[in-house]
Amino acid sequence: MKKGIFVIGTGTDVGKTYVSALLVKAMREAGMNVGYYKAAISGADSIPHSDAGYVKQVSGIQQPDHTMVSYLYRTAVSPHLAARMEGNPVNLSRVMSDFNWVAEMHDFVVVEGSGGILCPIRDDAHTCLFLEDVIQALGLDTLLVADAGLGSINAVGLTVSYLKQKHIPTVGLLLNRFNDSLMHTDNRTMIEKLTGLPTLACIPQNADCLPLSPDALNLIKGV
Ligand SMILES: Nc1ncnc2c1ncn2[C@@H]1O[C@H](COP(=O)(O)OP(=O)(O)O)[C@@H](O)[C@H]1O
Ligand SMILES: [Mg+2]
């Protein structure tokens, strides 16, 4: 089994946190000792009010709050800009050691990315980091969350093409807010054709569990 999976999205607000929470919940219910980690969260004044707090509440995991996030910014902007405004820029060595600690305490870690694949994490005179640098540093495979609706073929196609260019492995897709309409069904077919990646789950609006087959779960776990 791998040590974790890096949940990325085609952008912000596509459902990375929503889906991560359901994935952590599914793994916990399957008897795994699963943890959550996010390097940088913007737009929250405390961990309980952030993505991490949401995941903890939905999944029922007992992980201590301060281990779930390394950098928390109040301003709802990309981490690179939040750090310019508030200080405390992301240090990749700290992210790696914080993640390794969570990985040591759990069988498996669900790591959530910030924004989309081109999200700037730090940009100052000292260092420039994008989300892909965090993914590469942690050495994890990715799981791509996309909204199932209009625009998803383009958004997924461009993201997957970028991931391939950067040699970042992706295990599959999670299509969020999916319904059985002709457009959503065709989006799924076109996305699979375009990327060659499997759709591991289609998540309906207001889903309270992840419709994940045992094979899809094993693919995410890397077994
Ligand atoms: N399948 C879904 N059903 C209902 N609400 C959803 C669903 N997916 C996402 N949301 C809601 O949409 C908003 C954005 O989702 P979120 O997971 O925070 O996105 P991201 O982490 O990609 O920025 C949140 O309010 C979340 O609760
Ligand atoms: Mg989020």
Side-chain angles (χ1 to χ4, degrees):
M1 187 160 85
K2 302 221 171 101
K3 57 184 177 173
I5 192 82
F6 208 114
V7 177
I8 57 172
T10 51
T12 200
D13 281 342
V14 295
K16 295 182 299 295
T17 305
Y18 193 92
V19 165
S20 295
L22 295 183
L23 178 58
V24 172
K25 183 181 172 190
M27 288 181 156
R28 190 181 78 85
E29 286 172 355
M32 290 169 66
N33 172 21
V34 56
Y36 170 91
Y37 177 71
K38 182 160 171 171
I41 297 186
S42 308
D45 58 6
S46 70
I47 292 174
H49 291 125
S50 75
D51 290 355
Y54 177 83
V55 170
K56 189 169 173 175
Q57 183 221 317
V58 168
S59 66
I61 56 169
Q62 300 291 318
Q63 188 180 340
D65 286 355
H66 72 278
T67 66
M68 301 179 85
V69 183
S70 294
Y71 295 88
L72 190 70
Y73 303 106
R74 283 170 194 272
T75 323
V77 293
S78 173
H80 82 291
L81 184 56
R84 266 189 227 151
M85 297 162 73
E86 301 175 24
N88 197 24
V90 171
N91 177 311
L92 206 48
S93 307
R94 178 170 161 204
V95 168
M96 289 163 73
S97 66
D98 287 356
F99 166 77
N100 283 333
W101 192 87
V102 181
E104 271 169 33
M105 300 302 289
H106 299 88
D107 301 333
F108 192 86
V109 189
V110 174
V111 180
E112 183 186 341
S114 307
I117 189 62
L118 277 170
C119 180
I121 300 296
R122 173 172 178 173
D123 182 46
D124 55 31
H126 184 66
T127 306
C128 181
L129 291 173
F130 281 83
L131 184 68
E132 66 193 70
D133 300 309
V134 178
I135 299 170
Q136 307 264 28
L138 300 189
L140 297 174
D141 290 353
T142 59
L143 181 60
L144 178 59
V145 179
D147 188 274
L150 195 60
S152 64
I153 299 170
N154 179 65
V156 174
L158 289 175
T159 300
V160 172
S161 153
Y162 190 82
L163 291 166
K164 283 180 181 163
Q165 188 190 321
K166 297 290 178 156
H167 306 291
I168 297 172
T170 310
V171 297
L173 308 160
L174 298 177
L175 295 182
N176 191 26
R177 297 192 177 92
F178 188 90
N179 60 50
D180 289 327
S181 66
L182 177 61
M183 182 179 68
H184 284 200
T185 310
D186 181 67
N187 280 348
R188 176 181 176 168
T189 308
M190 290 303 290
I191 284 168
E192 288 174 352
K193 185 175 167 184
L194 192 62
T195 64
L197 290 171
T199 301
L200 300 181
C202 293
I203 300 116
Q205 185 72 21
N206 297 325
D208 60 5
C209 66
L210 205 59
L212 210 54
S213 70
D215 283 352
L217 186 60
N218 283 339
L219 208 59
I220 293 171
K221 286 159 62 178
V223 295

